[in-house]
Amino acid sequence: MTTTLHLYNTLSRTKEVFTPIDANNVRMYVCGPTVYDFAHIGNARPIVVFDTLYRLLKRHYPKVTYARNITDVDDKILARAKENGVSIKELTVGTTKMFHQDMDHLNALRPDHEPRATAYIAPMIALTQTLIDKGFAYEAEGHVLFSVQSMADYGKLSRRTRDELIAGARVEIAPYKKDPADFVLWKPAPEGGEGWDSPWGYGRPGWHLECSAMADDLLGTTFDIHGGGLDLIFPHHENEIAQSACAHDGAPPANYWVHNGFLTVNGEKMSKSLGNFFTVHELLDETSGEAIRLSLLQSHYRQPCDFTKDNLAQCKATLDKWYGALRNVKDTPTSTATTPEAVEAALLDDLNTPLAIAHIHELVGELNRATTNEAKAELKAALLAAGEALGLLQQDAEAWFKSGGAVSGLSDAEIDAQIAARLAAKKAKNFIESDRIRDALAQQGVILEDSAAGTTWRRG
Ligand code: AMP
Ligand code: ZN
């Protein structure tokens, strides 16, 4: 059985054997969300893809350190906070919580570190100062800019020509820039606006600087894997490489650069600006997080993944079939199996999730055809292990069917209204009606708990 992981490295544009710097501690950094609103399922794609890679690495190495940041200061956040009349802290505490809830429903494990950009201002200022001291950055009109001409191999990740770099950067041709492709490390903020004191005046860090400083602080000068969506190759990751390598005498921030393809709608990238998005939150009202996760893993992570509600419904039906096969075997396996060889081999080959899913279909077929209790128990254990590798099938099968596979089709307000109606029925001593309401809610995965203090509920 192969145990070698192959990963496609954007830096070399080839699939490479993965060799960690320290096999006792594999380190991975993934660019996380900018938290100004609910995450859409395009944003969820890197979360699910890199969670599957994290799970795989954890099975093969004794320790994996996974850091994924929260960008909690940027123009969109500032604009939204102003619109809502709240501070950025108030806004981002709420949106971060929403993000966590949604990603938990997708069975994404929490990373080991989840740094918030605003907690790393001091290392960002220090990094900027280092770049100035070493001659890679300059100050101009309250801005600090990285000088791309000072770095001989700037552009090696995206492989863009100089003209493409300038056009693609979409950077303002500001008079204070020495070169139009120079990018901001630090920029001034208006008095009274959100900002921090720095040697260059009151201001804010640039987005690229944030990730360089946080990754360096948490994972060291050079770590193993840096991930994110395809759109981050340029300028974000190109500029992270420039900042980190120039600050550390050429040492690159990461050895393997891994990028997921886009989640598309009718062939177009799903994005907030195009308005062609579905939030994870709204989809959870209709279906389960597991069905969303399966729909994201059906395509190979480097291919585009076209989203349709029909496909989501098919994923839900597939999970019904899989959970049905599990439910038919009454005995719960006593020992946990290792991931079936074919599934693991597929995942080790550059995270080939569609092939892994095809093997799960075969396993389910075998389980349904199995005749002896021994074979059934063994196949059930194998199926549960395969499911765990993909972050699927970890619920109790009965609970899955009871909830209809959905978190609950009911909104919180609708549930509260039902609880009030049940209380009224009880007061009127109409116990048939109050029981009917409780049972109807249970059918939809909402469990009521009565106590002296009143009735509380939870989603089962
Ligand atoms: P953002 O919150 O826009 O900074 O994006 C967070 C992460 O989601 C980044 O890794 C992006 O590359 C990724 N992302 C955004 N839109 C999509 C999409 N439509 N498909 C796949 N990944 C996306
Ligand atoms: Zn980043």
Side-chain angles (χ1 to χ4, degrees), residues 349-384:
D349 183 13
D350 196 29
L351 220 60
N352 192 340
T353 54
L355 186 58
I357 290 167
H359 288 308
I360 294 183
H361 278 294
E362 285 165 20
L363 256 177
V364 170
E366 281 178 52
L367 178 58
N368 286 335
R369 289 190 300 272
T371 49
T372 67
N373 284 346
E374 204 185 340
K376 284 183 189 174
E378 209 172 286
L379 284 162
K380 182 172 180 177
L383 181 54
L384 287 172

Side-chain angles (χ1 to χ4, degrees), residues 161-177:
T161 63
R162 205 186 129 65
D163 283 350
E164 286 169 339
L165 283 172
I166 294 170
R170 274 184 264 119
V171 281
E172 215 182 311
I173 312 283
Y176 49 80
K177 283 187 183 176

Side-chain angles (χ1 to χ4, degrees), residues 31-34 40 42-43 45-46 228-232 260-263 269-270:
C31 294
T34 304
H40 61 64
N43 302 132
R45 192 175 188 197
L230 205 62
D231 51 340
L232 300 188
N260 65 270
F262 290 139
L263 187 94
K269 181 191 173 198
M270 179 177 283

Side-chain angles (χ1 to χ4, degrees), residues 55-293:
R55 287 168 184 262
L56 177 66
L57 291 168
K58 278 162 88 80
R59 289 196 296 283
H60 291 268
Y61 296 96
K63 185 176 172 199
V64 182
T65 308
Y66 175 21
R68 188 184 66 212
N69 69 293
I70 298 273
T71 296
D72 63 348
V73 54
D74 102 317
D75 291 341
K76 287 186 212 131
I77 292 175
L78 289 169
R80 182 61 61 90
K82 201 169 161 195
E83 224 174 277
N84 295 1
V86 294
S87 67
I88 65 163
K89 175 107 191 174
E90 278 170 301
L91 175 74
T92 58
V93 164
T95 46
T96 302
K97 200 169 148 207
M98 283 155 24
F99 173 75
H100 283 154
Q101 280 172 354
D102 289 345
M103 298 309 124
D104 287 352
H105 280 301
L106 302 187
N107 288 347
L109 303 171
R110 297 275 177 104
D112 301 289
H113 299 284
E114 202 172 42
R116 285 178 303 108
T118 53
Y120 283 78
I121 301 295
M124 291 174 201
I125 290 175
L127 180 57
T128 305
Q129 191 61 57
T130 304
L131 289 168
I132 295 174
D133 294 346
K134 294 193 174 188
F136 294 104
Y138 60 95
E139 189 188 351
E141 297 180 23
H143 295 72
V144 181
L145 294 136
F146 184 92
S147 163
V148 295
Q149 301 235 16
S150 69
M151 186 189 189
D153 57 357
Y154 180 76
K156 73 174 174 191
L157 179 71
S158 59
R159 300 189 179 180
R160 288 179 182 228
T161 63
R162 205 186 129 65
D163 283 350
E164 286 169 339
L165 283 172
I166 294 170
R170 274 184 264 119
V171 281
E172 215 182 311
I173 312 283
Y176 49 80
K177 283 187 183 176
K178 289 187 188 160
D179 184 300
D182 289 352
F183 61 88
V184 159
L185 301 173
W186 189 265
K187 58 186 162 192
E191 270 310 314
E194 207 77 41
W196 293 266
D197 288 323
S198 82
W200 320 286
Y202 189 71
R204 288 197 278 132
W207 172 39
H208 318 308
L209 183 75
E210 297 177 2
C211 283
S212 279
M214 292 187 279
D216 182 20
D217 195 77
L218 291 164
L219 301 180
T221 302
T222 306
F223 49 93
D224 298 297
I225 299 168
H226 195 312
L230 205 62
D231 51 340
L232 300 188
I233 296 175
F234 185 84
H236 187 52
H237 290 167
E238 194 74 76
N239 293 348
E240 270 189 55
I241 292 177
Q243 295 159 162
S244 300
C246 290
H248 297 122
D249 303 323
N255 288 336
Y256 299 85
W257 291 81
V258 181
H259 294 100
N260 65 270
F262 290 139
L263 187 94
T264 55
V265 180
N266 299 324
E268 251 185 329
K269 181 191 173 198
M270 179 177 283
S271 73
K272 293 252 166 73
S273 52
L274 289 173
N276 59 349
F277 64 90
F278 293 98
T279 65
V280 173
H281 190 78
E282 68 185 310
L283 291 174
L284 284 172
D285 273 343
E286 299 170 25
T287 192
S288 79
E290 260 186 89
I292 299 172
R293 182 169 178 121

